[in-house]
Amino acid sequence: MAFLKHAIPYQADTANLFAKISHQPWAILLDSGQPHSQYGRYDILVADPFQTISTIETDSGVLTKIQQGSEVTISHEDPFSILKLALAPYKVTQYQLPFAGGAVGYFGYDLARKIEELPEVAKKDSAIPAMMIGLYDWAVIVDHREKTSYLVSNGFNQSTHDRWSELCDLFSDKAQTELPSEAFETTAPIASNMDFNQYAQAFGKVKRYITEGDCYQVNLAQRFFVQAKGKSWQAYLKLREISPAPFMAYMNFGNLQVLSGSPERFLQVIGSHVETRPIKGTRPRSDDAIQDKQYAQELKASIKDRAENLMIVDLLRNDIGKNCETGSVKADTLFQLQSFANVHHLVSFVTGKIKQGRTAIDLLRGCFPGGSITGAPKLRAMQIIEELEPHRRGVYCGAIGYIGFDGNMDTNIAIRTMVYSAGNNEEGEVSFYAGGGIVADSQLEKEYAETLDKASSMLKTMQYFSRL
């Protein structure tokens, strides 16, 4: 094994680099939203993994397919344990860069069924795997602060050595960018699985559960969907233009593509340091500067929104405490205002120190799914979500990110996330969700409007490509 590192020309817009590989198998861009975003620093580009891990739900239960070359193994074990075992042979010291190979992909919300006992009420979409993770031997890392870009690898896989010169040439200025040949368009009106009256009924049930003492907060979401055809890379570029965010991602799995514009970090591990950044509290943005400032000040002063945020901070302190040193878990920052393209949010920062002998995957499983998109107490909130939301969540409210061979991890909460199934030349469907936390003093009209505010960037993106 030899660490490989090759400097490549820096570009402010990493989309130009990723376009060179966006068509390749399991191509993934973990995107800080540059040059549009004010928050991010690093972008990570990968493609062509040497091993893939896909978890699907069948009539006989949940199974995971592990594929390396032509060798395929089927397992019924816990998907988190499978990934932990897959990463175990590849141990390296930490790098100066955030990532130089490892696991990249998504963990769908419904992996929770391997952790907790949940009812089976909501309709499931069998076309969307519960987890899709690739093990990647090389990556391109773009540092927007230092304005540098590197192709890096630990050289675990012989094919990386064999192709190294070819990869270096691919990302050079001389290489021609291979743009997708198919345009993207939506072919029907956008619809939802809950109209206002249906949302109101579900909202009323949540309020009754709160009154009866079942829970304090439940995140209730509606699902939007629209028929579409073509390649979704162009749609992703429009999404990051309309609504840049620090934890964006584009994932091309062939007939399934994921376009995420998430503003929320779920879990980060650097060495033994753990950080999570729960978001709770939302107001819309306004084109009128005075009105926009009023929305922001109203959010900062809102006792209700601060109380919602604090509930989730307490939940996450408990969750990360399962795998962190006793006494190390702290809420470093509470209720920080962060303003994005379509909404203002309250964000808190919770940190800890991971226990000796525990890994990032242990931490991820112990916190999964994130409390900011379930409610409190978490298990009861998830049971209520299953009862009241018409469809299983799929990727939505799971996590997207990486776990490096060095043990470091960074993941988002998969909100503001679109999934394009059957995303090839044939017509498929784009689906996306938006929700909000309901508490005792929530008001129906405001909560419903909040889901539309959160969905606004995705709705605008899909409407942009409408040919109706």
Side-chain angles (χ1 to χ4, degrees):
M1 184 192 81
F3 187 74
L4 305 170
K5 184 177 179 182
H6 173 75
I8 59 178
Y10 170 79
Q11 297 189 46
D13 190 349
T14 302
N16 296 325
L17 274 180
F18 187 72
K20 298 172 184 288
I21 60 170
S22 63
H23 60 287
Q24 291 190 20
W26 289 62
I28 296 176
L29 167 62
L30 300 181
D31 184 6
S32 62
Q34 300 290 343
H36 310 288
S37 173
Q38 60 177 309
Y39 291 111
R41 175 178 177 180
Y42 293 106
D43 298 335
I44 297 172
L45 297 73
V46 294
D48 196 21
F50 65 88
Q51 185 178 123
T52 61
I53 305 171
S54 306
T55 299
I56 59 173
E57 191 169 351
T58 68
D59 292 338
S60 58
V62 175
L63 61 86
T64 299
K65 182 175 83 169
I66 305 112
Q67 183 164 357
Q68 186 159 355
S70 59
E71 184 180 337
V72 177
T73 305
I74 302 297
S75 174
H76 293 276
E77 297 299 314
D78 179 288
F80 293 98
S81 299
I82 292 169
L83 178 57
K84 189 175 179 180
L85 189 64
L87 284 170
Y90 308 102
K91 295 292 184 186
V92 297
T93 56
Q94 292 183 31
Y95 333 102
Q96 295 299 315
L97 297 170
F99 182 82
V104 188
Y106 75 74
F107 303 84
Y109 174 88
D110 292 299
L111 282 180
R113 296 176 184 283
K114 298 296 287 185
I115 302 170
E116 304 284 5
E117 287 289 333
L118 292 172
E120 297 196 13
V121 181
K123 182 180 179 182
K124 62 185 177 184
D125 188 339
S126 58
I128 300 175
M131 181 177 87
M132 295 190 81
I133 299 290
L135 267 56
Y136 296 85
D137 194 40
W138 62 264
V140 172
I141 310 299
V142 180
D143 183 342
H144 292 290
R145 184 182 301 171
E146 298 297 325
K147 294 184 169 35
T148 58
S149 300
Y150 292 99
L151 173 67
V152 292
S153 173
N154 283 288
F156 285 123
N157 198 280
Q158 183 58 43
S159 68
T160 305
H161 294 277
D162 296 340
R163 296 181 56 211
W164 189 249
S165 294
E166 177 189 331
L167 288 168
C168 292
D169 289 343
L170 174 64
F171 292 107
S172 72
D173 278 340
K174 298 175 184 177
Q176 294 295 312
T177 299
E178 193 170 332
L179 296 173
S181 58
E182 295 292 326
F184 177 84
E185 64 179 282
T186 60
T187 57
I190 302 169
S192 172
N193 68 350
M194 281 196 270
D195 61 22
F196 178 80
N197 290 333
Q198 291 167 320
Y199 180 90
Q201 289 180 354
F203 176 91
K205 288 183 179 179
V206 172
K207 292 293 285 281
R208 285 196 292 276
Y209 280 129
I210 293 171
T211 302
E212 291 164 4
D214 277 48
C215 53
Y216 308 107
Q217 180 179 165
V218 173
N219 185 281
L220 181 66
Q222 59 172 313
R223 177 182 189 258
F224 300 89
F225 53 94
V226 62
Q227 296 300 302
K229 64 180 180 180
K231 302 294 185 183
S232 62
W233 175 237
Q234 300 301 326
Y236 177 75
L237 294 178
K238 179 54 65 173
L239 175 66
R240 79 200 283 267
E241 177 190 321
I242 291 173
S243 187
F247 301 103
M248 303 192 77
Y250 179 81
M251 317 174 85
N252 184 5
F253 300 113
N255 288 348
L256 180 73
Q257 288 140 34
V258 179
L259 300 71
S260 182
S262 176
E264 182 170 0
R265 169 171 282 152
F266 182 25
L267 292 165
Q268 182 188 53
V269 177
I270 301 176
S272 62
H273 180 78
V274 174
E275 180 185 271
T276 181
R277 298 182 188 176
I279 287 176
K280 261 304 172 232
T282 306
R283 290 295 184 278
R285 298 299 304 266
S286 174
D287 292 333
D288 181 283
I290 295 174
Q291 178 66 68
D292 191 58
K293 188 175 180 180
Q294 287 176 345
Y295 282 142
Q297 291 173 339
E298 177 188 311
L299 177 59
K300 285 179 69 175
S302 170
I303 295 173
K304 170 187 174 292
D305 288 287
R306 291 162 76 94
E308 278 189 52
N309 192 291
L310 192 59
M311 285 183 201
I312 302 307
V313 166
D314 285 341
L315 191 158
L316 277 162
R317 287 175 62 199
N318 290 333
D319 276 356
I320 71 172
K322 298 172 191 174
N323 289 284
C324 283
E325 297 284 357
T326 303
S328 71
V329 179
K330 296 179 174 60
D332 291 345
T333 303
L334 291 174
F335 320 136
Q336 182 184 95
L337 179 74
Q338 290 189 3
S339 299
F340 300 93
N342 61 330
V343 289
H344 301 288
H345 278 314
L346 291 182
V347 184
S348 294
F349 294 62
V350 181
T351 60
K353 181 179 181 181
I354 201 163
K355 288 179 182 176
Q356 190 76 24
R358 303 292 174 86
T359 69
I361 297 175
D362 297 323
L363 179 75
L364 180 64
R365 190 184 189 280
C367 296
F368 199 85
S372 66
I373 41 68
T374 51
K378 185 193 283 189
L379 178 56
R380 185 65 186 117
M382 290 165 64
Q383 291 167 346
I384 294 169
I385 288 167
E386 177 71 14
E387 174 193 339
L388 299 181
E389 292 185 6
H391 292 84
R392 296 263 185 97
R393 288 182 164 185
V395 179
Y396 174 68
C397 290
I400 294 170
Y402 68 81
I403 304 165
F405 291 137
D406 61 353
N408 288 346
M409 174 175 75
D410 205 0
T411 57
N412 75 13
I413 293 278
I415 52 176
R416 321 287 197 272
T417 297
M418 299 188 284
V419 176
Y420 183 24
S421 54
N424 52 23
N425 293 334
E426 299 176 5
E427 189 164 328
E429 182 181 89
V430 176
S431 62
F432 53 95
Y433 287 76
I438 297 170
V439 294
D441 53 352
S442 291
Q443 299 175 29
L444 170 61
E445 289 78 9
K446 287 185 177 180
E447 294 295 340
Y448 184 78
E450 182 177 310
T451 67
L452 299 180
D453 291 336
K454 289 175 176 176
S456 62
S457 59
M458 296 175 290
L459 292 167
K460 287 176 185 175
T461 300
M462 291 297 98
Q463 288 160 356
Y464 176 85
F465 290 99
S466 174
R467 300 296 179 261
L468 299 179

